[in-house]
Amino acid sequence: MFTIATWNINSVRLREALVARFLTEEAPDILCLQETKSPVEKIPLEAFRALGYRHFVARGQKGYNGVAILSKLPIEDAGDRDYAGLGHARHVAARLENGVTIHNFYVPAGGDIPDREQNLKFGQKLDFLTEMRDAFHADKPARSIMVGDLNIAPREDDVWSHKQLLKIVSHTPIEIEHLGAAQDAGSWVDITRKDIPQGLLYSWWSYRARDWDAADKGRRLDHIWATPDIANAGHGSRILRPLRGWQQPSDHVPVLASFDL
C-alpha cells in the first residue's frame, strides 16, 4: 500500500518549510507538487531527502508553472508532454517499481474572462484539455494514477455556489465539458468522489477573502484520478483543509488517497 498526495504549493522555494512540515506530519509515500515556480536544479531537495524522500522527478522553469514528484519509493522518470504546445512545465510522469504510472498535471488557470475570443489564456486552457482528451484516446492509460491542479471544479458540490460560479472561470459549462471529455477518454475514476460521494468539498480558497475560513468560498480544483483497473484499490481520500490556515500558506491544500497496490 502507498499514499499519494497532490498539492499546488505556489512556489516550492518560498514554502519549503511548509512542505517539510507536511511531509513530517503526514508522511505520504509520494507527493506531487504543482506551481513549483522554480528551475529543477533550484528546488530545495536536501531538506526533503533528509525526511526520506530520496527519489525525485520534475520539470521546471523560472518563476512560473513547474511540476515535481517526491517519493520515498523508487521511481523512474516516465517523461512529459508539452500539452497545447505552450512550452510550459505542466506535466511530468513517473513509474513505480510495481508498474503503476503517476501523471502529475498543472492545467492552465485560464485567466478571468471565460471567452477564448477575448482571452488568450482561456483558449489555451481549452486547448490543453482537448489535447489531454486526444492523448488518452490515442494511448489508453492503464495502471495509472493522475493527480494535479486541474483548475476546474466539475460538480455542483465542488463549489460554494453553483449558480454564482456558472460564469466564473473554473466552473463554466464549457470547461466542465472539456474536462469530462478528457476524463471519459481515459476512463478515469475520480477517487476523491468515489470515497466521498456526497457533500461540499473544496481544496482551494482565494487569497482575496479577508477571512477565508469564515467566508468559506472554496472550490475543488485539485484531483486524484485512477484508471479502472486499479480504481478499486483506491481509498482513504482526504483533503487537508487546516493547512490553508498555516503561516504564509498556498491558496491550495493537499489532497490525499491511498492505494492497496
Side-chain angles (χ1 to χ4, degrees):
M1 187 184 92
F2 62 86
T3 297
I4 188 168
T6 180
W7 192 7
N8 177 317
I9 194 59
N10 191 12
S11 177
V12 68
R13 287 190 280 173
L14 184 64
R15 296 188 169 83
E16 175 187 348
L18 296 192
V19 176
R21 179 181 170 186
F22 169 69
L23 294 176
T24 301
E25 293 184 5
E26 292 293 333
D29 297 288
I30 301 158
L31 171 60
C32 297
L33 296 171
Q34 303 86 37
E35 207 174 349
T36 54
K37 293 184 175 177
S38 174
V40 172
E41 64 274 10
K42 291 191 177 179
I43 293 174
L45 288 179
E46 288 311 309
F48 309 146
R49 285 193 181 114
L51 295 170
Y53 294 83
R54 291 186 294 274
H55 307 280
F56 168 76
V57 299
R59 301 293 185 269
Q61 58 193 108
K62 185 179 178 180
Y64 298 94
N65 310 313
V67 283
I69 303 175
L70 308 171
S71 180
K72 290 181 173 181
L73 307 171
I75 53 174
E76 64 176 15
D77 195 316
D80 62 79
R81 184 170 176 137
D82 180 15
Y83 286 86
L86 299 176
H88 296 174
R90 292 185 177 273
H91 170 251
V92 70
R95 191 169 294 106
L96 292 165
E97 288 183 324
N98 64 6
V100 172
T101 301
I102 295 163
H103 291 275
N104 182 11
F105 276 93
Y106 177 38
V107 172
D112 293 326
I113 303 167
D115 183 330
R116 70 180 306 148
E117 302 304 320
Q118 299 178 54
N119 173 14
L120 176 68
K121 289 181 177 179
F122 193 72
Q124 290 176 341
K125 182 176 191 175
L126 297 182
D127 292 345
F128 191 103
L129 293 161
T130 297
E131 187 166 328
M132 285 173 67
R133 177 201 71 189
D134 292 347
F136 299 146
H137 265 310
D139 186 10
K140 193 81 167 180
R143 283 185 69 77
S144 297
I145 298 167
M146 186 183 126
V147 308
D149 176 6
L150 304 185
N151 261 313
I152 296 170
R155 291 177 29 152
E156 291 188 18
D157 50 4
D158 288 339
V159 293
W160 65 274
S161 172
H162 170 61
K163 285 186 178 176
Q164 286 173 263
L165 268 70
L166 276 171
K167 293 183 179 178
I168 302 297
V169 173
S170 79
H171 192 62
T172 65
I174 191 170
E175 291 170 273
I176 293 167
E177 181 184 324
H178 276 64
L179 183 66
Q183 184 176 0
D184 290 347
S187 299
W188 295 102
V189 176
D190 181 341
I191 297 297
T192 311
R193 280 304 191 181
K194 179 180 81 72
D195 284 350
I196 312 169
Q198 302 298 327
L200 295 168
L201 278 184
Y202 313 140
S203 64
W204 173 91
W205 293 262
S206 174
Y207 286 132
R208 294 174 187 171
R210 264 192 300 187
D211 186 339
W212 71 272
D213 195 28
D216 203 22
K217 293 183 174 179
R219 307 176 202 173
R220 186 174 73 105
L221 304 179
D222 305 272
H223 300 265
I224 297 178
W225 294 356
T227 48
D229 51 356
I230 61 170
N232 286 341
H235 63 93
S237 294
R238 293 182 294 146
I239 299 180
L240 299 188
R241 179 190 176 106
L243 274 69
R244 183 63 178 80
W246 283 6
Q247 190 92 27
Q248 284 193 299
S250 171
D251 44 0
H252 296 253
V253 298
V255 178
L256 296 91
S258 297
F259 287 84
D260 292 333
L261 292 167

